[in-house]
Amino acid sequence: MRNWIKFPTAQGSHSRQAHADFPEEGIYEREMGRSGFFGPASHMHHKHAPTGWVEWEGDLRPRAFDLNKLDANNHPADAASPFSAPVILSNAHCQYRMWHCTQVMPRLARNADGDDLLFIHEGQGDLFCDFGHLQVVKGDYIVIPRSTMWRLVPESAMQILMIEATNDAYQLPEKGMVGGHAIFDPAVLDTPQINPAFLQQQDEASWQVEVKRHNRLSRITYPYNPLDAIGWHGDLTVVRLNWRDIRPLMSHRYHLPPSAHTTFVAARFVICTFVPRPIESDPGALKVPFYHNNDDYDEVLFYHEGDFFSRDNIEKGMVTFHPAGFTHGPHPKAFEAGRQHKKTFTDEVAVMLDTRDALDIGEAASAVENPDYVYSWRSDEDKQGT
Ligand SMILES: [Fe+2]
């Protein structure tokens, strides 16, 4: 544990606690916090929205990428190999790709660089791996331990968000005082089966394994299918979790920070899942995500389905990237709707990646970037004035 300099204090007009009962109507609360909602933080009450900038120069900026447009821009996502899928964002500790698996994988994949997390955005199919067979459907997370051999047989065209924990492993978050069965009971985690479908795919034909190590590919050829296990035992395997089995934490009186929705953790990043839930109902409670600068993390959101309640003009299949260094928060229409408590339930499903280290933007992402996103917080009146 780090021993932060701590001396809780307050100045001026302020609420008694965070995210509730603001001291005046029409003010904007901003959280400035460290260590991704776990470190020291202060809450400020501003006269103006912290997202009210009128001009922005330089590389640091909020960004939005429309991954639905990848194919149209010479960065085809429908590669035969998952390792050829375009990298959207990356740093030394993770790689974030979008892969369109539209055909039966001709080779086995083996990622020796780290664990892979697959999130099935569209489609369904069969996964065959060292540990057996697993049917995968839309909304599934699949954790593939480092160096597992696997291949996918899509039943319908699949769109897969792939997040590599480089030189690392996926683990579950500490569930602390809500206990091990909250959010999702580990009993809902599915694992591959040595079943007839698996045994039937074993053959004596020539098979290749594509291995990724140090980000370079090697191919190993066998005169038989190396997925030829007849059984296994142990506690290391592929694991599947569907977002529909997540029963989110929520409070009717307090807007919980994104960290309450943490699904998987690696050493230098976390994956959170936003799933349908009621919106806070207490009259004094904040109803939309608070404005914040999460100063130790870059934040990435992938929009899977539903109506994205804190964002205007965001469609499924898009990604927003909010690097550390500025305050972000709800879009004006969403903020106003929250203030008026127009919605009582959110049906959004989104996957968040928060990284402790700065992310680089891949060429493929730049090609599908919406350059106007930085100005998307302008209210309609501002837009009429410019
Ligand atoms: Fe954020």
Side-chain angles (χ1 to χ4, degrees), residues 15-202:
S15 58
R16 290 184 66 215
Q17 54 179 321
H19 317 323
D21 298 328
F22 296 156
E24 289 169 32
E25 272 292 301
I27 58 119
Y28 299 86
E29 181 198 48
R30 169 168 70 108
E31 176 172 301
M32 175 174 176
R34 305 298 302 275
S35 291
F37 308 102
F38 290 95
S42 281
H43 297 90
M44 294 169 212
H45 304 301
H46 291 288
K47 292 179 190 168
H48 300 286
T51 49
W53 51 75
V54 292
E55 195 61 59
W56 193 307
E57 293 166 66
D59 282 343
L60 168 76
R61 56 179 58 210
R63 295 174 185 273
F65 310 109
D66 187 351
L67 303 191
N68 301 303
K69 292 183 176 162
L70 277 177
D71 286 328
N73 287 277
N74 301 323
H75 290 281
D78 62 343
S81 160
F83 304 135
S84 307
V87 176
I88 308 301
L89 295 159
S90 64
N91 63 26
H93 306 284
C94 85
Q95 286 193 10
Y96 187 87
R97 302 168 184 262
M98 171 52 82
W99 179 40
H100 293 183
C101 179
T102 54
Q103 51 179 306
V104 176
M105 278 171 67
R107 292 175 290 278
L108 295 162
R110 177 178 198 154
N111 190 354
D113 283 332
D115 283 13
D116 264 314
L117 177 70
L118 274 48
F119 177 76
I120 312 298
H121 174 54
E122 289 290 352
Q124 58 183 19
D126 295 288
L127 175 86
F128 295 98
C129 67
D130 278 309
F131 307 98
H133 166 244
L134 188 65
Q135 273 185 328
V136 295
V137 300
K138 186 173 168 169
D140 277 347
Y141 281 111
I142 318 288
V143 180
I144 302 181
R146 187 176 196 166
S147 287
T148 300
M149 288 189 285
W150 61 278
R151 65 187 180 95
L152 268 172
V153 177
E155 206 173 284
S156 57
M158 301 178 80
Q159 292 186 21
I160 302 172
L161 189 66
M162 296 185 59
I163 308 171
E164 175 190 286
T166 309
N167 204 25
D168 200 358
Y170 282 101
Q171 298 181 328
L172 297 178
E174 263 309 312
K175 292 191 194 165
M177 65 189 209
V178 296
H181 301 98
I183 313 176
F184 63 83
D185 185 328
V188 302
L189 297 172
D190 292 317
T191 55
Q193 308 287 310
I194 302 281
N195 58 15
F198 183 68
L199 295 171
Q200 277 159 24
Q201 58 90 52
Q202 298 178 345

Side-chain angles (χ1 to χ4, degrees), residues 37 258 274 289-294 297-301 311 322 326 328-329 352 354:
F37 308 102
F274 299 109
F290 41 91
Y291 293 96
H292 59 279
N293 28 305
N294 183 9
Y297 281 82
D298 276 10
E299 299 186 352
V300 182
L301 256 184
R311 294 273 169 268
H322 295 168
F326 64 93
H328 56 260
M352 186 170 87
D354 274 17

